[in-house]
Structures are given as C-alpha cells and as structure tokens.
Amino acid sequence: MAQDLLAPPAASERTDSTAPIRRVGRVTPYLFLIPYFLLFATFVLAPAVYGLWVSLHDWDYLLPGKPFVGLDNYQALFDSSSAVFEEFWQSMQATGIFTVASVPLLVTIPLALALMLNRAFPGRTFFRAVYFAPYVLGVAVIGVLWRFLLDPNLGAVNALLGAVGLPDASPWTTGLPWAWISLVAVTVWWTIGFNAVIYLAGLQDIPRELYEAARIDGGGKWAEFRHVTLPGLRPVLTFIVINTVLASSNMFGQALLITQGAPGNETRTAIMYIAQKGLREYNMGTAAAMSYLLTLALLLVSVITFRLLRDRDAS
C-alpha cells in the first residue's frame, strides 16, 4: 500500500494533470498583449483607418455635406494646376532639407559622445545626466526659450557674439540659411542625449573579450572601432537612423515656435502645412491625403535604410 502511494503517477495521469497548465501557459502571452492592443487599436489603428476614409471625401467638418470624391485629393497633390500642389511640395522640400541636415549630426555626434561617456572618469554619471537633461523638456519650453535667445534684435545670442567682436546682426529666425542653422542646432542640442543613451546601452552589450582579442592581434583604437564597435552597434545604429529620420521628418514644434515658417514659407515643414490645411482651413480631406502621402514616403525611406544597415551576417 505504501509503495503505491510513493510510486510516481502514470504517464497518462501526468499528461492529464499538466495539460490545463500548458494550455494556460500558451494563452498567457496573449493576455499580456490585450491592454496594449486595445490602446493601439483605439488611438492608432482606428484613427488611421478613419483618416483614410476622410481622405476620400471633400471633408469640411463645419459643413453638413461631405461628398465622396475618390482619389481626387491625391490627384490634386500631383496636379501642377491645383491650388495645393506648389505649397505642398515646397513644404515637403523643407522637410527634406531639415532631415538631410539634421540626421547625420544626430547620428554621429551622439555616437562620439557615447564613446566618451562609456569610458571611466570622475563625474561620468554627472555628465551623462547633463547631456540627457534637455531631452526631458517639452517642445513648447524649447521653442519659447530659443525664440527669445535667437531673436535678431533682442536675443542673447547676437548680444554675446557682439561682445566678443563677431557679427551680431545674424537673422537667426528670419533669414536663410540662418533659420535652418537655428532649427538644426536647437534640435541637435535638445535630442542629442536620447541617441547617446541608446548608443551607451549598445556599447555596454559588446563583450570585453572582443576588444582584448583585437589588442592581442595588434589592432589600434581605430581597428577596435572599425572591427569591434561598429559591428557590435549595427542593430542599435539601424534603430537610431530609422528613428531619427522619422522624428526629423515629423518636425513641427521647433519650426512653429522659433521661425513660424519664416522667411516666407521656406521653413514651413510638411506637418505644419498639413495642420494648417486641416485645422485652420478646415480642408480635412486634402490634409488626410497629404498625411498618407508623407507616410508612404517615410515608409519607403525606412525600408531602404533598414535594407542598407541590416546585419547581413545574422540574416
């Protein structure tokens, strides 16, 4: 009798007792995903589908009639005789100028900063916090702050330049190329800490043994950077490049608050023009069509970037 009690259960009994646990285990990951999926469907997926529907209509939300126009809103963006053609592509050009000017700086400068902050020296944690601190400020704070500092007449920047004998009449917010220099410099100063922190996390995941092997083989600092650091950072670099391109292409607050699109509409980005068309002129159908065209352009750029930077050895 005692031997029967101590004997292990039969295979069929073990299967019957653990089956419910395995079934619950398979469902558990999906249960954790439900809250995120509900938020994603409510605030991303549903508005995206609704925006596609709006782009197919002559949608003025102040008027009762919203006739279906099919692809007319999209065709108008490619028709040089339409009222929106020139301004839309001018805003897309402004978006491209800012992206091309800012992305290389936002990729390379944080990498150099992360390499320095990854070394052991007194006060390293303090300097990490200093470089990351501007990123916690909102775009409204950044925009208003630099709007006053860069003011051509009353700003502190021109006053400081004049105090050291440099030209003190640069139109930082009203002339070209000064307006672009201002927007790029403010954006780099504001967001440099975020990319640097991502690089730091990637650097700390690279095994120390690889650097020791490079030194044993006689490699110098440049060889370590080229053959160990860069390959180890490839996934991080891909993420940073794609994320930075998307963020720069969606630049809105800095141009709105610092230059207000000046001079003329030269620094008015695509997002600014879309907001003006939809929220100020109440032409939501055209604004939605512009948004989807911009989305397709960014999707194409992201796919090309991913294919160029992907880890071919891992694939």
Side-chain angles (χ1 to χ4, degrees):
M1 183 64 180
Q3 292 177 347
D4 294 339
L5 292 175
L6 295 176
S12 58
E13 294 177 357
R14 290 199 302 269
T15 302
D16 293 339
S17 61
T18 58
I21 298 176
R22 284 202 295 267
R23 284 197 294 271
V24 173
R26 285 195 294 268
V27 174
T28 301
Y30 300 102
L31 294 177
F32 280 109
L33 284 175
I34 287 177
Y36 171 78
F37 180 75
L38 290 176
L39 293 174
F40 177 80
T42 303
F43 295 105
V44 178
L45 189 59
V49 175
Y50 185 65
L52 182 61
W53 174 255
V54 170
S55 72
L56 302 176
H57 293 74
D58 186 6
W59 195 284
D60 185 335
Y61 52 80
L62 294 181
L63 299 177
K66 300 175 180 58
F68 180 79
V69 296
L71 298 177
D72 287 357
N73 288 327
Y74 293 93
Q75 291 176 350
L77 301 179
F78 296 97
D79 184 359
S80 59
S81 63
S82 69
V84 298
F85 175 82
E86 184 175 353
E87 291 193 84
F88 173 68
W89 289 107
Q90 192 277 327
S91 66
M92 289 287 282
Q93 181 183 1
T95 300
I97 291 173
F98 179 79
T99 303
V100 170
S102 63
V103 169
L105 298 177
L106 288 169
V107 172
T108 56
I109 295 178
L111 175 58
L113 186 62
L115 290 172
M116 289 190 294
L117 295 177
N118 196 42
R119 296 177 176 275
F121 60 88
R124 182 178 63 172
T125 304
F126 170 76
F127 285 106
R128 287 180 177 178
V130 166
Y131 282 107
F132 188 76
Y135 188 72
V136 304
L137 299 176
V139 66
V141 177
I142 297 297
V144 173
L145 171 67
W146 283 100
R147 173 69 185 177
F148 283 106
L149 292 176
L150 294 170
D151 187 276
N153 300 314
L154 305 173
V157 174
N158 274 343
L160 290 174
L161 291 175
V164 297
L166 296 175
D168 59 353
S170 301
W172 297 106
T173 59
T174 56
L176 293 179
W178 308 105
W180 283 124
I181 294 174
S182 301
L183 292 174
V184 171
V186 169
T187 304
V188 170
W189 171 80
W190 179 31
T191 61
I192 192 175
F194 177 77
N195 285 353
V197 168
I198 302 298
Y199 276 129
L200 271 174
L203 287 172
Q204 292 169 7
D205 282 342
I206 299 176
R208 299 293 97 185
E209 293 80 5
L210 296 179
Y211 289 103
E212 294 172 2
R215 294 190 194 101
I216 293 173
D217 290 340
K221 293 296 181 184
W222 172 247
E224 290 181 10
F225 177 76
R226 182 181 175 186
H227 297 294
V228 178
T229 303
L230 277 183
L233 287 179
R234 185 184 293 276
V236 175
L237 184 63
T238 303
F239 168 78
I240 286 179
V241 171
I242 293 177
N243 187 60
T244 305
V245 168
L246 295 179
S248 296
S249 302
N250 287 295
M251 193 270 285
F252 174 74
Q254 302 98 300
L256 178 68
L257 295 169
I258 296 175
T259 66
Q260 299 174 350
N265 291 322
E266 293 292 334
T267 59
R268 184 180 62 180
T269 60
I271 296 295
M272 285 182 66
Y273 185 55
I274 290 170
Q276 172 188 329
K277 206 66 182 173
L279 302 178
R280 189 178 301 173
E281 300 178 13
Y282 308 123
N283 196 339
M284 297 297 291
T286 302
M290 294 176 183
S291 300
Y292 271 92
L293 195 60
L294 178 62
T295 301
L296 288 177
L298 295 181
L299 184 63
L300 179 62
V301 171
S302 300
V303 170
I304 293 174
T305 305
F306 178 77
R307 293 186 66 84
L308 289 175
L309 296 178
R310 66 178 176 175
D311 190 347
R312 293 179 174 81
D313 294 335
S315 64

